PDB file of all heavy atoms in Angstrom:
ATOM      1  N   GLY A 954    -113.092   6.869 121.745  1.00 96.00           N
ATOM      2  CA  GLY A 954    -112.619   7.782 120.705  1.00 96.00           C
ATOM      3  C   GLY A 954    -113.347   9.108 120.783  1.00 96.00           C
ATOM      4  O   GLY A 954    -114.030   9.409 121.757  1.00 96.00           O
ATOM      5  N   ILE A 955    -113.220   9.894 119.743  1.00 97.00           N
ATOM      6  CA  ILE A 955    -113.837  11.218 119.721  1.00 97.00           C
ATOM      7  C   ILE A 955    -115.357  11.075 119.765  1.00 97.00           C
ATOM      8  O   ILE A 955    -115.943  10.338 118.970  1.00 97.00           O
ATOM      9  CB  ILE A 955    -113.441  11.998 118.452  1.00 97.00           C
ATOM     10  CG1 ILE A 955    -111.923  12.138 118.362  1.00 97.00           C
ATOM     11  CG2 ILE A 955    -114.096  13.374 118.437  1.00 97.00           C
ATOM     12  CD1 ILE A 955    -111.442  12.699 117.037  1.00 97.00           C
ATOM     13  N   SER A 956    -115.970  11.808 120.672  1.00 97.00           N
ATOM     14  CA  SER A 956    -117.429  11.786 120.787  1.00 97.00           C
ATOM     15  C   SER A 956    -118.036  12.799 119.815  1.00 97.00           C
ATOM     16  O   SER A 956    -117.345  13.708 119.335  1.00 97.00           O
ATOM     17  CB  SER A 956    -117.847  12.143 122.216  1.00 97.00           C
ATOM     18  OG  SER A 956    -117.614  13.531 122.460  1.00 97.00           O
ATOM     19  N   PRO A 957    -119.331  12.670 119.536  1.00 98.00           N
ATOM     20  CA  PRO A 957    -119.986  13.670 118.688  1.00 98.00           C
ATOM     21  C   PRO A 957    -119.839  15.093 119.244  1.00 98.00           C
ATOM     22  O   PRO A 957    -119.590  16.033 118.488  1.00 98.00           O
ATOM     23  CB  PRO A 957    -121.446  13.217 118.662  1.00 98.00           C
ATOM     24  CG  PRO A 957    -121.376  11.735 118.881  1.00 98.00           C
ATOM     25  CD  PRO A 957    -120.231  11.543 119.842  1.00 98.00           C
ATOM     26  N   ALA A 958    -119.979  15.257 120.545  1.00 98.00           N
ATOM     27  CA  ALA A 958    -119.851  16.594 121.149  1.00 98.00           C
ATOM     28  C   ALA A 958    -118.428  17.130 120.994  1.00 98.00           C
ATOM     29  O   ALA A 958    -118.233  18.323 120.719  1.00 98.00           O
ATOM     30  CB  ALA A 958    -120.249  16.552 122.625  1.00 98.00           C
ATOM     31  N   GLN A 959    -117.426  16.276 121.171  1.00 98.00           N
ATOM     32  CA  GLN A 959    -116.045  16.713 121.000  1.00 98.00           C
ATOM     33  C   GLN A 959    -115.769  17.101 119.549  1.00 98.00           C
ATOM     34  O   GLN A 959    -115.116  18.113 119.285  1.00 98.00           O
ATOM     35  CB  GLN A 959    -115.077  15.621 121.468  1.00 98.00           C
ATOM     36  CG  GLN A 959    -115.071  15.444 122.960  1.00 98.00           C
ATOM     37  CD  GLN A 959    -114.325  14.193 123.396  1.00 98.00           C
ATOM     38  OE1 GLN A 959    -114.332  13.163 122.714  1.00 98.00           O
ATOM     39  NE2 GLN A 959    -113.686  14.284 124.554  1.00 98.00           N
ATOM     40  N   LEU A 960    -116.261  16.301 118.614  1.00 98.00           N
ATOM     41  CA  LEU A 960    -116.068  16.626 117.206  1.00 98.00           C
ATOM     42  C   LEU A 960    -116.736  17.955 116.870  1.00 98.00           C
ATOM     43  O   LEU A 960    -116.172  18.781 116.154  1.00 98.00           O
ATOM     44  CB  LEU A 960    -116.621  15.515 116.312  1.00 98.00           C
ATOM     45  CG  LEU A 960    -116.425  15.745 114.812  1.00 98.00           C
ATOM     46  CD1 LEU A 960    -114.947  15.769 114.449  1.00 98.00           C
ATOM     47  CD2 LEU A 960    -117.152  14.683 114.014  1.00 98.00           C
ATOM     48  N   GLN A 961    -117.926  18.184 117.407  1.00 98.00           N
ATOM     49  CA  GLN A 961    -118.621  19.453 117.159  1.00 98.00           C
ATOM     50  C   GLN A 961    -117.834  20.626 117.738  1.00 98.00           C
ATOM     51  O   GLN A 961    -117.736  21.679 117.110  1.00 98.00           O
ATOM     52  CB  GLN A 961    -120.038  19.427 117.735  1.00 98.00           C
ATOM     53  CG  GLN A 961    -120.824  20.688 117.426  1.00 98.00           C
ATOM     54  CD  GLN A 961    -120.916  20.969 115.933  1.00 98.00           C
ATOM     55  OE1 GLN A 961    -121.350  20.126 115.166  1.00 98.00           O
ATOM     56  NE2 GLN A 961    -120.515  22.163 115.501  1.00 98.00           N
ATOM     57  N   SER A 962    -117.255  20.451 118.923  1.00 97.00           N
ATOM     58  CA  SER A 962    -116.483  21.555 119.514  1.00 97.00           C
ATOM     59  C   SER A 962    -115.245  21.865 118.672  1.00 97.00           C
ATOM     60  O   SER A 962    -114.885  23.032 118.494  1.00 97.00           O
ATOM     61  CB  SER A 962    -116.113  21.267 120.971  1.00 97.00           C
ATOM     62  OG  SER A 962    -115.151  20.242 121.069  1.00 97.00           O
TER      63      SER A 962
END
Side-chain angles (χ1 to χ4, degrees):
I955 302 171
S956 71
Q959 289 169 326
L960 182 64
Q961 184 57 55
S962 70

